[in-house]
Amino acid sequence: MLFLTFFIGIILNAMGYIPPGNINLTVAQLAINKGMRQVWYFILSFSCVEICFTFGMMRFARWAMSDVNPNAAVSEVRLGTLVDCFMILMFITMGTITWVNRKKVPKTSNKKEDKRSGSVLYGLILGVLNPVQIPFWLFFGNYVILHEWIETDYLSLIIFSIGSGFGSALALYVYAHFATFIQEKFALSSLIINKSIAIFLYVLAAYLVIKQMIVIF
């Protein structure tokens, strides 16, 4: 049963990172500009935060879905709208940073320790600033619990959360590997890759803006 719980955690969270978003696009950009070693530092730190976050959300899931409605208002603003607004700001900020630095050529440095600490810190920050996971686990966490796919005791939730961390690490590694493969296969420059990522982040922000406009009107 614990193995199945671990496996469900892997599959469920890996599926959550299939759609392009700020996390997997960041990993793709990191792989192209700094290499796979830095990607691993980022992924490991990010996944550690993901394990803790998943455990907390799974403990919170059943109570939250019974008492907190994603469509409910917080100071007359929908909870889903608040999450979308945060993501819009994040997409625009990350897109702007990427666009401004699009012409910078990746530099090699002998300060390996500094580069490692930077990637680790980046992974920790984005692991914490990842509000899209809140509605994800509110829905899917409650779903697997109500369908009795996993138990809700501490050990089962810890195993599930560790599986979730492995799932995010697996999905992000695939994104990073695919990005480097595409760059090598089609001989794409880092300028083209950075511009494409920046544009895509702007598109995601625009999509969320249009989504909220449809909801409001």
Side-chain angles (χ1 to χ4, degrees):
M1 184 63 185
L2 289 179
F3 176 79
L4 179 61
T5 298
F6 179 76
F7 184 74
I8 292 174
I10 293 177
I11 297 299
L12 196 60
N13 209 28
M15 288 173 56
Y17 285 100
I18 291 176
N22 61 313
I23 304 300
N24 37 35
L25 291 179
T26 296
V27 167
Q29 185 182 25
L30 196 61
I32 291 169
N33 293 338
K34 295 188 177 181
M36 290 300 295
R37 181 185 292 272
Q38 302 306 312
V39 168
W40 273 116
Y41 294 143
F42 176 92
I43 288 177
L44 289 176
S45 60
F46 179 85
S47 297
C48 288
V49 176
E50 189 83 343
I51 291 172
C52 299
F53 187 87
T54 301
F55 179 79
M57 287 304 300
M58 290 300 291
R59 292 286 300 172
F60 183 73
R62 296 190 72 174
W63 173 86
M65 285 304 289
S66 60
D67 292 301
V68 177
N69 185 348
N71 292 318
V74 178
S75 298
E76 299 184 354
V77 180
R78 291 174 60 253
L79 185 60
T81 299
L82 293 176
V83 172
D84 281 355
C85 288
F86 186 90
M87 295 305 298
I88 290 169
L89 290 175
M90 180 174 287
F91 286 147
I92 292 175
T93 301
M94 295 186 68
T96 302
I97 293 173
T98 301
W99 183 265
V100 169
N101 296 315
R102 67 189 184 281
K103 294 183 179 180
K104 287 188 177 180
V105 179
K107 297 179 181 179
T108 56
S109 172
N110 293 325
K111 297 181 180 180
K112 294 183 179 180
E113 192 64 31
D114 292 340
K115 291 173 64 179
R116 179 175 63 187
S117 62
S119 298
V120 170
L121 181 61
Y122 199 21
L124 293 175
I125 291 173
L126 288 187
V128 173
L129 300 178
N130 191 21
V132 73
Q133 288 294 81
I134 296 175
F136 178 85
W137 285 119
L138 282 177
F139 177 80
F140 286 104
N142 206 36
Y143 185 88
V144 296
I145 291 174
L146 290 178
H147 287 75
E148 298 182 348
W149 290 2
I150 66 172
E151 301 294 334
T152 56
D153 58 279
Y154 276 101
L155 179 59
S156 296
L157 291 184
I158 290 173
I159 296 299
F160 179 84
S161 301
I162 294 174
S164 170
F166 272 90
S168 62
L170 177 63
L172 294 178
Y173 172 77
V174 170
Y175 256 94
H177 188 73
F178 182 72
T180 55
F181 171 78
I182 292 296
Q183 184 191 31
E184 294 171 359
K185 184 71 173 179
F186 297 98
L188 299 177
S189 66
S190 59
L191 174 62
I192 295 175
I193 297 293
N194 289 335
K195 288 174 67 175
S196 300
I197 291 176
I199 291 172
F200 197 85
L201 287 169
Y202 286 139
V203 169
L204 289 175
Y207 163 76
L208 291 177
V209 170
I210 293 172
K211 173 187 170 185
Q212 288 304 318
M213 290 178 63
I214 292 174
V215 171
I216 293 173
F217 298 105

